[in-house]
Amino acid sequence: MSILLDGRAGVLVQGITGRAAAFHLPHCESYGTQIVAGIRPGKGGQFYDNRIPIYDTVAEATKNHSITASLILVPAPAAADCIWEAIDGEIPIIVCVTEGIPIRDMARVRARLRDSRSILIGANCPGIITPGEIKLGIMPSYIHRPGSVGVVSRSGTLTFETVWQLTQRDIGQSTCVGIGGDPIHGLSLVDVVRMFNDDPKTTTIVLVGEIGGEEEEEAAEFIKKHVKKPVAAYVAGVTAPADRRMGHAGAIISGAKSGAACKIKALETAGVAVAKDISQIGDVFCEISNKNPCAQP
Amino acid sequence: MKIHEFQTKELLARHGIPVDICVVIHRRDDAGALISSLDHQGSYVVKAQIHGGGRGKGHFASGIGGGVQTVHSQAAAVELSQSMLGNRLVTMQTGPNGCLVHRVCVGPKANFCRELYVSIFMDRAAGMPVIMTSCSGGIEIEELPENVLREYVCPLAGLQPFQMRKLAIPMGFKSAATCESFMAILQNLCHLFDETDASLIEINPLVETVDGRLLAIDGKAIFDDNALFRHSEISALRDPLAEDFLEVQASVHGVNYVSLDGDIGCLTNGAGLAMATMDLLHANGLEAANFLDLGDNSGEEAVRAALGILLRTNDLQCLLINTFGGAMCGDMVAQCTLNVFAEKGIKLPLVVRMEGARAAEGLALLHSHVNPRLFVAENLRDIPRKIRKAMRAQ
């Protein structure tokens, strides 16, 4: 496996009867993801697609199945409760795709996570994919290919863009992780960079950041000290005006450090090759990974 | 969501935090009666109510000084509040056009011996709220960083009494009673913050009067948009007049929209791609007219609303659609766009770049549609080229 998940993981889906699940689960299953159970309070005892058992509570599901990861696909008002229940059920990896969770709920979830056995990815994220093995999220399958590049991003669509540029140049990915666009979330950029750095299957790292917060600066600091693998990056929001929230709840320039220029400078100082705009991330990657010349799309 | 100063002070008062007395004037004709109802001899403070900060240092387009002024008679207060109403106040946060003033707050000038600062906001790095205090209020808090004290509030347990003491004792209040009331303010502020899903509440200044009372003279509050669904009383405080008209329209349809200064209208899905598109245009000598994030779960209604908003933007030279769908289908976006252009007889050049879910179907639809003003970009790098081509063809 690369990081976090491989194809053997048994997956629980919270919100298995909802609209989001109806659209995304067939894509996850056809990618090879093993969905073993689902949660929908009030529909316990029924089956999803006449195959997958539905439970009222996570506790019942974990009693009956070996579960490595949970995918949460519920509306925002119920999402924090679902994450909390998954933590309570000691599910090792929790992926929450839901956008729009109140920040107060996420502050409480993060406090709860501290002494738990769980890792949270998201919320407000595309999820995680280990190409060729398992997909737990909403990313289009066709843009990925198995390989050795670790991709970590705060933005869903920019993860897709980055991965697609790599795949078009015949460069595969070890694991792609979207950590989410909310101001308070689970895994941080540094957490994922550290995992890629420790992962023998990952040879190079691509980091996609955006305005708001200081995670890119922290990642830069970590890379400078500990990372020997080549790192390429892009930071969105060079032209974003200050004090305006740019879609993501977390994408707002509110201090000297949260603007794109400061993040780019920190990354460059750490030896990271930063793409000037998103259309160049593939080429910048080729330059640092000695894979010259790259096939042009 | 931002609210006005007078609304913030009403909330503070309702949560046991003392505020100074004032009247809120909406109409010029009411100014005289409302101000005389204060029954005050002496100086008045007249404050324009807009969402942008820096009101005191700002200026009115009509040349009547800043947005916060002290005057020394009732007549002067009436005259000043009347001339502020209906005028545009320009501050460093409003942009060059400023904000139209619909309300003015007038109150007796408070007599105080010193100004303090108190705020609570969500600290994203720590993942919890933080209370910040300073014994030098009334100014930008960053100006005297050595006076700033911070206490993080556990999201599960709340503010603890020892934390209140740590913040209150260094303030050096003369009486124990004032110290007690400061700690009560901290506690009430925390409750208000938590109960209303606020992301910032700031009291600056909180003044200490000669007789040892504490009063909130100015207040600012911002609430978490994602939590408004469970706070109808806070949502009701929204002032659409103080916000950009198109941004309000967009939010009604769940579309994230921010108007910018350029002339290329952008329709994208995902906040990251929307920002990256602005950056890409800028790097190639073009400027986006807006940031627009449809969200990835959007359906036809959102796409139609987004197009409607973009087409109402002034002086647009070209429309760009740049999507990478995970859940949002390319053929839906393409069909919707073709329909809207046909229905409204739009002559604007259109550049489309599409990837992700059902993008091939969407592109096939666009290619089958003969329109000399429609250009399909092969990839991101092709976007600026196609925009130039589209604008030349115009």
Side-chain angles (χ1 to χ4, degrees):
Chain A
M1 82 181 256
S2 11
I3 67 166
L4 293 162
L5 283 175
D6 65 21
R8 291 165 297 180
V11 173
L12 174 74
V13 176
Q14 291 172 263
I16 195 161
T17 59
R19 199 169 60 94
F23 184 88
H24 293 293
L25 291 197
H27 296 299
C28 290
E29 284 203 289
S30 65
Y31 203 77
T33 305
Q34 292 176 40
I35 297 169
V36 297
I39 305 294
R40 170 66 165 86
K43 292 196 178 165
Q46 300 180 18
F47 290 86
Y48 167 82
D49 195 26
N50 297 318
R51 294 177 290 127
I52 300 172
I54 300 175
Y55 298 91
D56 288 317
T57 65
V58 170
E60 285 172 87
T62 52
K63 209 187 305 170
N64 292 296
H65 304 271
S66 167
I67 292 167
T68 308
S70 178
L71 176 63
I72 298 177
L73 295 169
V74 302
D81 184 45
C82 284
I83 300 173
W84 198 286
E85 190 181 6
I87 298 170
D88 195 59
E90 300 194 342
I91 293 175
I93 294 169
I94 304 164
V95 178
C96 185
V97 169
T98 311
E99 178 171 6
I101 305 176
I103 190 167
R104 186 185 71 183
D105 297 1
M106 286 309 295
R108 289 175 183 172
V109 160
R110 198 155 111 181
R112 173 71 179 87
L113 269 171
R114 260 179 213 119
D115 305 311
S116 77
R117 299 183 177 186
S118 302
I119 283 174
L120 172 67
I121 299 173
N124 189 9
C125 78
I128 171 171
I129 183 167
T130 293
E133 293 199 42
I134 184 169
K135 160 171 141 165
L136 222 65
I138 62 169
M139 55 290 275
S141 304
Y142 76 91
I143 61 173
H144 302 85
R145 141 195 306 250
S148 65
V149 184
V151 178
V152 58
S153 168
R154 283 175 62 194
S155 146
T157 39
L158 291 184
T159 319
F160 308 164
E161 286 291 355
T162 305
V163 167
W164 183 225
Q165 286 184 38
L166 295 175
T167 295
Q168 283 180 307
R169 288 165 174 80
D170 282 336
I171 303 163
Q173 306 90 41
S174 54
T175 302
C176 308
V177 186
I179 62 162
D182 280 352
I184 297 179
H185 52 240
L187 276 189
S188 68
L189 284 179
V190 173
D191 294 332
V192 183
V193 168
R194 183 186 290 119
M195 289 175 192
F196 282 138
N197 196 41
D198 295 341
D199 172 37
K201 292 255 182 84
T202 300
T203 56
T204 25
I205 302 168
V206 179
L207 181 156
V208 181
E210 65 183 28
I211 56 165
E214 296 177 16
E215 284 194 42
E216 291 78 3
E217 285 86 341
E218 286 158 19
E221 197 60 34
F222 179 83
I223 290 166
K224 201 167 160 183
K225 281 196 192 131
H226 304 287
V227 179
K228 296 280 181 286
K229 299 176 182 180
V231 185
Y234 168 70
V235 179
V238 177
T239 57
D243 276 322
R244 301 300 312 269
R245 190 172 72 89
M246 306 304 278
H248 282 156
I252 179 163
I253 301 175
S254 52
K257 274 191 171 177
S258 56
C262 182
K263 294 172 187 300
I264 291 169
K265 194 175 161 209
L267 288 165
E268 284 179 338
T269 307
V272 175
V274 183
K276 194 159 64 66
D277 66 60
I278 185 65
S279 73
Q280 309 198 5
I281 186 82
D283 286 350
V284 167
F285 179 85
C286 289
E287 281 163 29
I288 61 156
S289 63
N290 302 320
K291 257 194 143 230
N292 288 318
C294 277
Q296 269 291 327
Chain B
M1 186 190 89
K2 290 181 182 174
I3 62 173
H4 290 294
E5 173 202 358
F6 76 92
Q7 295 169 317
T8 306
K9 280 158 75 174
E10 282 170 15
L11 272 181
L12 292 173
R14 254 186 280 145
H15 282 77
I17 298 170
V19 301
D20 64 337
I21 304 158
C22 70
V23 290
V24 183
I25 303 162
H26 302 242
R27 300 187 312 145
R28 288 198 179 113
D29 293 348
D30 298 340
L34 282 169
I35 291 170
S36 66
S37 77
L38 288 166
D39 195 21
H40 168 72
Q41 304 302 316
S43 299
Y44 287 85
V45 179
V46 182
K47 298 196 261 189
Q49 302 293 298
I50 61 164
H51 283 175
R55 291 175 300 168
K57 289 177 186 159
H59 65 276
F60 276 93
S62 57
I64 48 164
V68 178
Q69 296 184 40
T70 302
V71 292
H72 304 291
S73 73
Q74 209 174 79
V78 173
E79 191 188 336
L80 181 60
S81 55
Q82 285 175 334
S83 53
M84 280 185 181
L85 282 168
N87 260 306
R88 299 195 84 87
L89 177 60
V90 181
T91 79
M92 57 190 192
Q93 286 185 24
T94 62
N97 290 329
C99 284
L100 197 58
V101 176
H102 295 282
R103 291 187 189 81
V104 173
C105 224
V106 180
K109 185 171 169 53
N111 288 311
F112 50 83
C113 51
R114 64 170 177 158
E115 297 176 287
L116 312 171
Y117 173 98
V118 182
S119 73
I120 178 168
F121 61 93
M122 197 54 92
D123 182 307
R124 57 194 293 167
M128 57 182 91
V130 57
I131 294 192
M132 226 159 79
T133 63
S134 170
C135 56
S136 43
I139 53 164
E140 291 294 318
I141 179 89
E142 295 87 359
E143 286 175 31
L144 284 170
E146 65 274 21
N147 292 341
V148 175
L149 298 174
R150 283 184 184 80
E151 281 295 321
Y152 290 92
V153 184
C154 172
L156 303 178
L159 186 70
Q160 300 301 304
F162 81 90
Q163 295 183 294
M164 297 185 233
R165 292 194 295 273
K166 275 173 79 182
L167 293 170
I169 292 165
M171 287 288 178
F173 294 111
K174 276 184 233 104
S175 77
T178 312
C179 193
E180 288 291 328
S181 54
F182 184 73
M183 292 199 283
I185 287 173
L186 295 178
Q187 185 154 41
N188 291 337
L189 193 63
C190 267
H191 284 156
L192 173 62
F193 184 85
D194 197 58
E195 276 169 28
T196 57
D197 273 290
S199 40
L200 165 81
I201 304 175
E202 181 183 69
I203 304 173
N204 188 22
L206 176 75
V207 301
E208 184 178 358
T209 61
V210 186
D211 54 350
R213 288 177 304 126
L214 298 171
L215 283 178
I217 297 290
D218 196 351
K220 179 178 173 183
I222 304 177
F223 300 93
D224 180 0
D225 293 315
N226 288 342
L228 289 176
F229 71 89
R230 58 189 179 199
H231 300 290
S232 53
E233 78 292 355
I234 299 293
S235 306
L237 299 177
R238 167 162 248 151
D239 178 7
L241 292 176
E243 297 176 26
D244 184 284
F245 176 73
L246 291 179
E247 288 175 20
V248 175
Q249 290 299 303
S251 72
V252 170
H253 293 95
V255 173
N256 291 308
Y257 169 88
V258 177
S259 61
L260 303 168
D261 296 330
D263 53 11
I264 314 292
C266 298
L267 186 150
T268 41
N269 71 316
L273 185 57
M275 266 189 282
T277 304
M278 290 157 46
D279 295 348
L280 175 71
L281 294 181
H282 179 78
N284 288 279
L286 299 163
E287 297 298 336
N290 64 281
F291 164 97
L292 193 154
D293 162 24
L294 278 172
D296 194 43
N297 273 312
S298 305
E300 215 174 306
E301 188 213 324
V303 178
R304 279 185 162 272
L307 284 168
I309 286 158
L310 290 180
L311 293 169
R312 290 175 73 166
T313 314
N314 296 328
D315 304 324
L316 227 51
Q317 296 298 314
C318 182
L319 193 67
L320 167 67
I321 295 181
N322 183 20
T323 61
F324 207 129
M328 195 187 68
C329 296
D331 49 352
M332 182 276 291
V333 176
Q335 189 59 60
C336 219
T337 306
L338 291 175
N339 291 350
V340 170
F341 268 60
E343 284 162 24
K344 299 194 174 176
I346 306 294
K347 302 273 185 274
L348 206 62
L350 173 68
V351 175
V352 183
R353 181 270 180 161
M354 227 172 236
E355 275 299 341
R358 297 187 67 80
E361 289 84 346
L363 289 171
L365 248 170
L366 293 170
H367 279 300
S368 70
H369 193 84
V370 183
N371 180 343
R373 293 186 199 87
L374 170 64
F375 297 83
V376 175
E378 304 299 322
N379 51 39
L380 283 175
R381 204 168 288 180
D382 196 26
I383 287 175
R385 285 198 291 262
K386 286 285 154 64
I387 289 177
R388 290 227 159 72
K389 201 170 163 189
M391 282 162 59
R392 273 199 306 273
Q394 176 72 326

